[in-house]
Amino acid sequence: MKKGKALVYDSQHCFSRFLKYEFKKDLAFDAYKNFKKFDNVIDHYTIMLFVINSDKELYDLLRIYKRGVPLIVCTFDKEIKTKLEIIEDILLLDLSKVKSEMRSQLKFFINVTSK
């Protein structure tokens, strides 16, 4: 069975390392630190994971929102998380959970979006 392809936007590269390690059997990951590099290739991915660390990155997220690719979004910033909770059609990953709970939630999201 061919693995799906996931795009990870993570300007600090911390979360993308976790994803690549934990889910390498499920997905092939391409990680980017710069939004401009993947703006024209989004359709090649089965899922996108977007880590937001600033308001600028929230703006970048809104530039690709509604392009038809399932989107998992996470942030450590409580104010940004509150803004994200009102957006429909995204899967919001709760980073305040312990690692095992995050892993389970991500596994669920990946299974749901890969169908």
Side-chain angles (χ1 to χ4, degrees):
M1 185 172 116
K2 185 178 176 186
K3 285 197 276 187
K5 198 169 178 187
L7 181 147
V8 181
Y9 175 83
D10 180 7
S11 64
Q12 297 179 3
H13 260 326
C14 297
F15 197 66
S16 61
R17 284 187 215 127
F18 165 75
L19 290 168
K20 286 180 177 183
Y21 177 78
E22 293 291 332
F23 298 100
K24 62 187 169 199
K25 293 179 183 175
D26 303 308
L27 295 166
F29 290 94
D30 290 336
Y32 294 92
K33 289 176 122 178
N34 184 336
F35 181 78
K36 294 174 186 170
K37 289 184 180 180
F38 63 80
D39 195 32
N40 295 321
V41 296
I42 291 173
D43 296 334
H44 299 276
Y45 295 95
T46 55
I47 189 169
M48 291 189 301
L49 298 105
F50 213 95
V51 182
I52 299 176
N53 297 299
S54 69
D55 284 333
K56 182 199 175 302
E57 292 173 353
L58 181 59
Y59 173 74
D60 289 342
L61 167 72
L62 294 174
R63 287 174 50 195
I64 63 163
Y65 177 65
K66 291 286 189 186
R67 291 236 185 138
V69 178
L71 185 61
I72 298 173
V73 181
C74 56
T75 185
F76 291 100
D77 186 304
K78 291 180 183 178
E79 187 176 313
I80 291 175
K81 183 181 179 210
T82 302
K83 292 176 186 177
L84 291 170
E85 289 172 341
I86 62 171
I87 300 175
E88 294 182 20
D89 299 337
I90 64 169
L91 302 168
L92 186 58
L93 178 65
D94 187 355
L95 296 178
S96 66
K97 294 182 177 188
V98 295
K99 194 174 186 178
S100 61
E101 290 176 336
M102 271 191 344
R103 189 180 303 117
S104 295
Q105 188 178 16
L106 275 167
K107 185 74 168 169
F108 174 76
F109 286 167
I110 290 169
N111 287 336
V112 166
T113 57
S114 298
K115 292 180 180 183

